[in-house]
Amino acid sequence: MDKSKQKAAARAWKPATRAVRGGIDRSGHGEISEALYLTSGYAYDSAEQAAARMRGDEDGFVYSRYGSPTVAMLEERLALLEGAETCRVTASGMGAISSAILAPLQQGDRVVAAKALFGSCRWICANLLPKYGVDIEFVDGADLAQWKAALSKPTKLVLIESPANPLLDGVDIAAVAELTHKAGGWLIVDNVFATPVLQLPLTLGADIVVYSATKHMDGQGRVMAGAILGRSADIEEVYDPYLRHTGPAAAPFNAWVVLKGLETLGLRVNAMSASAARLADTIAAHENVLAVRYPHRTDHPHYATHAKQMSSGGTMLALSVKGGQAGAFRFLNRLEIVDICNNLGDTKSLACHPSTTTHRALSEEEQASMGLDASWIRFSVGLEDAGDLEGDIVNALDGV
Ligand SMILES: *Cc1c(COP(=O)(O)O)cnc(C)c1O
């Protein structure tokens, strides 16, 4: 089958088949496991061919900052999983997200973002955009009245995360997409916490989806990568020139690791999510816990939003313990199986204290504006036995 027929056939596959077989581009050797091409440049058959490739008149690779075979396989597999026309993979999640934000903007443009964002995303919006003459407004992502007011003015980009760091806030993606389009802009959704297994923002009206593939997609704590997904015309016109000339290209080895990680993404995310739902209930029942945030628990303030757009509660939860920061630190230090780590989406369960780590750059008032205080722990549930995790967590909570 030629490549374009193979690509079209893959669009009829179900997600599990796409995750295992999508984007395969076999060499003449017929290898079963995807080949890892470590090369910076490509040899041309003739000077004419070199000129034709550079002009874009002939398909093929020209330089690995522009694209390379293993990275291209990952891009095609991710596009299939997301149901996106096109994907570009970068060296890290922030490489993808910073490019997704900066490439479409120019001086005088306006951006609206939800307050609850990954720390570096918030830093770009709050500190970098104003330096380049871009107007930024933050809103409470769960409050549609605030979105309506902010998007009553022409706006180029809207940036949200749902569920968001660190307290799993929910944003109504379809409603914000509609308001964004009325304001003439693009909605960018950072879908890291949900993954394409549980939530597909493009089907809800988002224009661009971004990922840190470092998280669930690698899923085993090994490499960093990121992805931008959207319509082919937007990616080719707006993002390709930016990515080619600024150079956040992913390393082929890292792309290969993520490609293999995707084969088990659905199995891992569904198993981790089932454990997380069980642990959220156990934690909520403990006397030393003040509050639990889990997207599919009915006591989550944004439960209705999460329930309508996310197919399960996901792998992440947050808990507030008695005793403020001292209580939170005692809890973390008493964990014996779970590691203290600010990464997430790993097969190993990981816990962190956002207000002194991932969100330490924000002032106390900024933290408070997203509901965060020093009593909160963010928890990424892994693939260990759920009973073992339950025992570890309850033992740590008993000593708070
Ligand atoms: C980790 C993360 C990022 C940044 O990705 P990196 O791969 O660390 O650069 C962005 N957004 C969210 C929600 C994340 O969890």
Side-chain angles (χ1 to χ4, degrees):
M1 223 193 303
D2 75 27
K3 265 191 206 170
S4 63
K5 276 196 191 143
Q6 196 182 320
K7 261 189 165 178
R11 297 265 155 181
W13 293 339
K14 298 284 188 292
T17 313
R18 294 178 180 203
V20 174
R21 294 190 171 269
I24 291 177
D25 184 7
R26 284 196 177 131
S27 77
H29 298 299
E31 66 282 348
I32 288 293
S33 175
E34 293 74 2
L36 169 53
Y37 294 91
L38 290 175
T39 184
S40 330
Y42 303 84
Y44 308 105
D45 292 339
S46 63
E48 288 78 6
Q49 186 183 46
R53 290 249 185 110
M54 284 293 185
R55 279 198 311 272
D57 290 346
E58 182 186 297
D59 283 345
F61 297 103
V62 297
Y63 190 50
S64 290
R65 171 151 45 78
Y66 284 37
S68 59
T70 308
V71 173
M73 285 191 253
L74 174 58
E75 290 173 342
E76 181 61 15
R77 186 168 294 177
L78 280 171
L80 283 164
L81 281 180
E82 197 67 32
E85 286 177 9
T86 297
C87 171
R88 294 290 179 257
V89 164
T90 58
S92 71
M94 286 319 301
I97 299 168
S98 64
S99 302
I101 297 171
L102 293 171
L105 291 174
Q106 61 184 48
Q107 189 180 10
D109 280 341
R110 179 178 148 76
V111 173
V112 178
K115 272 180 205 160
L117 289 178
F118 182 73
S120 296
C121 300
R122 185 152 166 140
W123 182 88
I124 287 173
C125 291
N127 301 334
L128 199 58
L129 296 186
K131 256 179 47 176
Y132 295 139
V134 172
D135 219 25
I136 171 78
E137 183 175 345
F138 288 104
V139 299
D140 175 348
D143 185 345
L144 274 182
Q146 286 192 28
W147 282 113
K148 273 184 195 141
L151 293 173
S152 62
K153 294 182 222 164
T155 300
K156 190 70 167 276
L157 292 180
V158 170
L159 178 66
I160 61 172
E161 212 178 294
S162 183
N165 243 314
L167 301 185
L168 297 312
D169 284 356
V171 180
D172 185 332
I173 298 171
V176 173
E178 201 185 318
L179 292 168
T180 302
H181 297 150
K182 276 189 196 148
W186 283 353
L187 174 62
I188 303 178
V189 179
D190 179 340
N191 202 40
V192 167
F193 277 32
T195 80
V197 177
L198 304 181
Q199 178 171 277
L200 293 168
L202 296 177
T203 65
L204 299 166
D207 300 280
I208 304 286
V209 176
V210 287
Y211 285 103
S212 164
T214 314
K215 310 296 166 56
H216 303 81
M217 290 176 171
D218 167 18
Q220 290 156 79
R222 300 163 294 191
V223 300
M224 315 227 21
I228 304 175
L229 298 111
R231 293 177 286 263
S232 299
D234 298 340
I235 301 257
E236 286 162 16
E237 275 165 37
V238 176
Y239 291 113
D240 279 349
Y242 183 94
L243 293 170
R244 288 172 179 186
H245 300 302
T246 61
F253 176 75
N254 294 2
W256 181 82
V257 171
V258 175
L259 198 52
K260 304 310 283 178
L262 289 182
E263 295 180 1
T264 55
L265 179 70
L267 283 175
R268 286 184 284 107
V269 167
N270 286 322
M272 285 151 63
S273 181
S275 288
R278 169 174 162 185
L279 293 173
D281 292 342
T282 305
I283 292 167
H286 197 283
E287 59 180 359
N288 289 338
V289 172
L290 297 171
V292 169
R293 286 284 190 96
Y294 186 65
H296 274 210
R297 267 179 66 91
T298 52
D299 60 358
H300 190 298
H302 312 142
Y303 165 73
T305 301
H306 286 312
K308 83 175 173 188
Q309 62 194 23
M310 207 174 153
S311 61
S312 81
T315 68
M316 304 292 298
L317 59 90
L319 62 147
S320 163
V321 297
K322 287 187 181 163
Q325 181 166 320
F329 276 25
R330 269 197 297 277
F331 171 76
L332 286 173
N333 291 336
R334 282 176 61 91
L335 290 166
E336 286 170 6
I337 295 175
V338 178
D339 289 305
I340 302 171
C341 176
N342 46 279
N343 197 14
L344 62 94
D346 200 288
T347 51
K348 295 181 173 65
S349 293
L350 308 172
C352 75
H353 185 248
S355 75
T356 54
T357 60
T358 54
H359 289 69
R360 78 184 181 288
L362 302 182
S363 67
E364 216 169 301
E365 295 83 68
E366 282 176 306
Q367 292 192 11
S369 80
M370 51 174 85
L372 183 63
D373 66 43
S375 72
W376 285 95
I377 304 280
R378 189 191 75 187
F379 211 98
S380 170
V381 178
L383 276 184
E384 303 93 338
D385 179 83
D388 285 345
L389 291 176
E390 210 160 35
D392 197 30
I393 291 168
V394 168
N395 178 58
L397 282 173
D398 287 344
V400 161

